[in-house]
Amino acid sequence: MNDFEKRLAEIPLNPAPAGWREAILAAAEKETPRARATIFPWRPVAWGALAACWVLIGFFNFSGPGRGEIHSLAIAPGRTPTAPQMAEYFERHRLLLRWPAATETIFQIDRSKI
Amino acid sequence: MSADLAAIYDAYGGALIAFARNLTRSDADARDVTQEIFCRLARNPVLLAEARSPRAFLLTMAYRLAVDLHRRRAVRERHAAGPVEVFAPPAHPDETHFRQAVAVAMSELPEEQRAVIHLKLWEALTFEEIAAVLDLSAHTAASRYRYGIDKLRSLLRPVYEEIL
């Protein structure tokens, strides 16, 4: 190392600004595994309750008809009506067809008598 | 506060900040680099235990983080870095002038030459050790140092001859 290099090497470097030590170490402390564990601490009752909730949700989810079953029920044709049901249906239909004629006779009133 | 991290900071923090400051030419970036080193040490406490030379290992981390930061800055329009006080302020005014001139001259060197010169002059590492820190050959480290010192000498000649 010559004189010029020695002269350069003698220049002291600026020390770290005050407050950096605490700030840097505090930031690092948050990253330690122990500090991270405190975000979700081990509390058996709380974690057990959460697990029970998920079990219940799962139970209700799988106990009813599945999504495919609901869809097939929605698009499936209804049950074939029985003979008495068909007869009742046709009777109602026949009555409905006769309804306009009946109303006409009701409302054809002889106004001269009023 | 972890006692281990505090002890590591007390032993190497000053050197890491000075190196990062000289590389990045920014106080904020030097702090980011140093903080990231300590966050990594906190996440993985055995990191330093596996290192053969803790000082060299930490300087390598600082160099890589500074280079990463430099690349990211280059991609997104590196904003003008403010003046950074790499060297301690002296008592004598002539010395102030010289130190300022050295700081300016250092900032004109390419990052890789600056890194080698810093490790050689202010960390007193051998070229083999510098090569290990910067992940290059000892020959490359020596040639970068030579080029860098020649450039510094030519930049500082007027000031240096004045104070002699």
Side-chain angles (χ1 to χ4, degrees):
Chain A
M1 202 181 273
N2 60 32
D3 287 349
F4 176 69
E5 291 164 61
K6 281 179 189 163
R7 181 76 179 81
L8 292 178
E10 282 168 4
I11 303 175
L13 295 166
N14 212 2
W20 280 28
R21 184 182 186 276
E22 283 67 33
I24 288 171
L25 290 176
E29 185 64 28
K30 288 179 191 161
E31 299 288 326
T32 57
R34 193 178 59 249
R36 288 184 161 201
T38 58
I39 299 170
F40 298 110
W42 175 244
R43 303 218 188 287
V45 176
W47 285 103
L50 185 64
C53 284
W54 277 108
V55 168
L56 275 175
I57 289 167
F59 172 75
F60 287 122
N61 188 38
F62 293 111
S63 63
R67 193 169 285 191
E69 288 175 66
I70 291 168
H71 183 67
S72 62
L73 282 172
I75 61 166
R79 284 179 297 176
T80 309
T82 57
Q85 285 173 328
M86 289 290 284
E88 190 184 343
Y89 169 77
F90 284 121
E91 181 59 20
R92 284 184 186 173
H93 187 64
R94 192 177 59 79
L95 286 171
L96 280 171
L97 287 176
R98 285 181 60 190
W99 173 251
T103 52
E104 277 171 21
T105 53
I106 290 167
F107 291 104
Q108 282 174 359
I109 300 164
D110 185 0
R111 292 175 184 272
S112 62
K113 292 180 181 173
I114 299 172
Chain B
M1 196 180 287
S2 165
D4 290 344
L5 285 176
I8 293 167
Y9 185 94
D10 292 338
Y12 308 112
L16 292 175
I17 289 168
F19 185 43
R21 198 184 250 156
N22 208 349
L23 285 177
T24 61
R25 318 301 295 176
S26 155
D27 269 347
D29 288 349
R31 182 177 160 160
D32 285 350
V33 165
T34 313
Q35 186 167 307
E36 182 57 28
I37 290 169
F38 279 88
C39 286
R40 289 185 184 191
L41 291 177
R43 282 195 290 268
N44 190 358
V46 296
L47 207 61
L48 204 59
E50 292 166 355
R52 207 168 36 182
S53 162
R55 192 179 193 88
F57 179 78
L58 293 170
L59 287 169
T60 303
M61 280 179 84
Y63 179 70
R64 289 181 183 168
L65 286 166
V67 168
D68 282 351
L69 200 66
H70 178 87
R71 283 181 189 149
R72 265 182 286 153
R73 287 273 194 282
V75 169
R76 56 180 168 89
E77 294 285 322
R78 176 197 280 249
H79 45 74
V84 59
E85 299 294 333
V86 178
F87 303 114
H92 200 272
D94 283 349
E95 185 61 17
T96 307
H97 183 50
F98 180 65
R99 288 185 191 183
Q100 283 173 348
V102 174
V104 171
M106 283 290 286
S107 70
E108 290 183 24
L109 296 181
E111 196 179 69
E112 58 267 18
Q113 287 178 11
R114 206 159 60 228
V116 173
I117 286 174
H118 183 100
L119 295 175
K120 180 73 181 161
L121 293 182
W122 289 286
E123 289 295 323
L125 299 187
T126 63
F127 287 125
E128 285 73 24
E129 289 168 331
I130 293 170
V133 167
L134 304 181
D135 194 22
L136 39 88
S137 71
H139 177 75
T140 308
S143 71
R144 282 183 186 178
Y145 178 75
R146 218 168 26 250
Y147 282 122
I149 282 291
D150 286 347
K151 191 169 180 186
L152 280 182
R153 189 180 287 115
S154 68
L155 288 168
L156 293 169
R157 182 161 291 132
V159 187
Y160 185 61
E161 284 172 355
E162 191 181 297
I163 62 166
L164 278 178

